[in-house]
């Protein structure tokens, strides 16, 4: 079974530029998560989708971050404009359902904002 | 969202020693999950606990869920160098949907 795919693996941008990350969850997984993990910290949930609807985006900085999951499969996370403090690993995860189910993580995208 | 606190933040042990990390919440949890993240890797699911007082074992790892469902622990017996990594607990948020992670306990095992 293929795992959660993310791209790119690494990205370096200058502050105020924009960037987008892509995630393809495990086939059949209805729930998709985007997490931000700053070095030395635990993953922080940015947004959670159930199919193509948002079920939690309470910690998403909506003035600069946006995410979509058109057709309920792939998802993109965008940052515009980026700030230095956005440097982190962005992890995508998926699960079969929105509650009480194991989350499978992708390898992540390491973003460096300079 | 729901906050889970983990202690200790770091633990350094000699190979063969035991290790325990604790996860605490101020509110009752419907369930709790544990993940392991190796250095440079991504979190990998270890186990989920749902019932009050539940105890589950995976080889040298023992997971417990408190009677009040507000705390949990992970105990590793006779650590090995392969146990190195950061152990996270994760629990649903107030809405019941979000999966919120603690800050993790980083375990270093020296031979």
């Amino acid at each position: 079974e293929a795992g959660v795919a993310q791209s790119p693996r690494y990205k370096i941008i200058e502050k105020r530029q924009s960037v987008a990350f892509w995630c393809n969850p495990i086939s059949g997984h209805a729930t998709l998560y985007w997490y931000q993990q700053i070095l030395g910290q635990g993953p922080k949930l940015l947004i959670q989708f159930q199919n193509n609807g948002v079920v939690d985006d309470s910690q998403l900085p909506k003035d600069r971050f946006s995410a979509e999951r058109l057709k309920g499969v792939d998802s993109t996370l965008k940052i515009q404009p980026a700030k230095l403090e956005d440097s982190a690993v962005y992890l995508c995860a998926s699960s079969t359902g929105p509650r009480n189910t194991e989350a499978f993580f992708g390898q992540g995208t390491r973003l460096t904002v300079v | 969202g729901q906050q889970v606190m983990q202690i200790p933040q770091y633990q350094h042990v000699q190979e063969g020693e035991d290790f325990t990390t604790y996860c605490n919440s101020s509110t009752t949890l419907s369930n709790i999950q544990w993940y392991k993240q190796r250095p440079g890797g991504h979190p990998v699911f270890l186990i989920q606990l749902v019932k009050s007082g539940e105890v589950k074992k995976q080889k040298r790892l023992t997971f417990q869920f408190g009677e009040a469902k507000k705390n949990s622990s992970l105990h590793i017996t006779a650590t090995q160098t392969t146990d190195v990594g950061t152990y996270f607990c994760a629990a649903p948020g107030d809405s019941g949907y979000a999966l919120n992670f603690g800050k993790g306990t980083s375990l270093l095992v020296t031979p």
Side-chain angles (χ1 to χ4, degrees):
Chain A
E1 179 182 80
V4 176
Q6 289 189 246
S7 68
R9 287 295 311 276
Y10 306 92
K11 190 75 176 177
I12 300 175
I13 62 171
E14 295 182 350
K15 58 184 180 183
R16 292 187 289 275
Q17 286 187 324
S18 62
V19 64
F21 312 125
W22 174 82
C23 173
N24 181 232
I26 293 173
S27 177
H29 280 195
T31 304
L32 186 148
Y33 311 82
W34 281 103
Y35 286 88
Q36 178 194 61
Q37 187 173 27
I38 293 172
L39 187 64
Q41 299 183 20
K44 172 188 170 185
L45 180 67
L46 295 176
I47 190 166
Q48 178 178 347
F49 292 95
Q50 179 64 19
N51 296 310
N52 61 349
V54 175
V55 295
D56 194 301
D57 63 356
S58 57
Q59 299 185 90
L60 185 73
K62 298 180 183 64
D63 57 333
R64 298 184 302 107
F65 287 64
S66 64
E68 60 182 12
R69 192 184 184 197
L70 300 176
K71 301 181 181 179
V73 181
D74 293 8
S75 177
T76 56
L77 175 69
K78 296 179 181 178
I79 307 175
Q80 182 179 9
K83 294 185 176 181
L84 296 177
E85 59 261 36
D86 297 332
S87 294
V89 175
Y90 290 84
L91 294 162
C92 179
S94 69
S95 63
T96 54
R99 301 184 183 189
N100 302 343
T101 56
E102 170 185 356
F104 294 84
F105 283 82
Q107 297 290 336
T109 296
R110 182 176 297 278
L111 173 68
T112 302
V113 182
V114 298
Chain B
Q2 180 68 267
Q3 296 290 334
V4 285
M5 309 301 293
Q6 276 189 262
I7 54 171
Q9 188 175 1
Y10 303 99
Q11 187 81 54
H12 182 184
V13 301
Q14 292 289 118
E15 190 171 25
E17 293 181 337
D18 292 356
F19 160 78
T20 305
T21 175
Y22 302 90
C23 184
N24 300 296
S25 170
S26 59
T27 60
T28 302
L29 303 171
S30 60
N31 68 84
I32 194 157
Q33 298 180 5
W34 286 92
Y35 291 77
K36 177 183 178 181
Q37 186 173 26
R38 294 183 187 276
H42 57 278
V44 175
F45 176 82
L46 293 176
I47 209 157
Q48 176 171 277
L49 304 171
V50 179
K51 299 178 182 177
S52 169
E54 188 170 16
V55 178
K56 288 188 176 181
K57 293 190 176 184
Q58 291 179 351
K59 297 183 180 178
R60 295 179 294 104
L61 278 60
T62 302
F63 303 84
Q64 292 189 320
F65 202 9
E67 293 290 341
K69 300 181 72 173
K70 290 184 177 181
N71 55 72
S72 181
S73 65
L74 158 59
H75 180 81
I76 303 178
T77 303
T79 55
Q80 299 176 359
T81 55
T82 53
D83 295 325
V84 165
T86 302
Y87 293 84
F88 295 98
C89 62
D94 296 333
S95 66
Y97 286 104
L99 185 61
N100 293 313
F101 280 70
K103 293 187 176 182
T105 297
S106 293
L107 172 64
L108 179 61
V109 181
T110 50

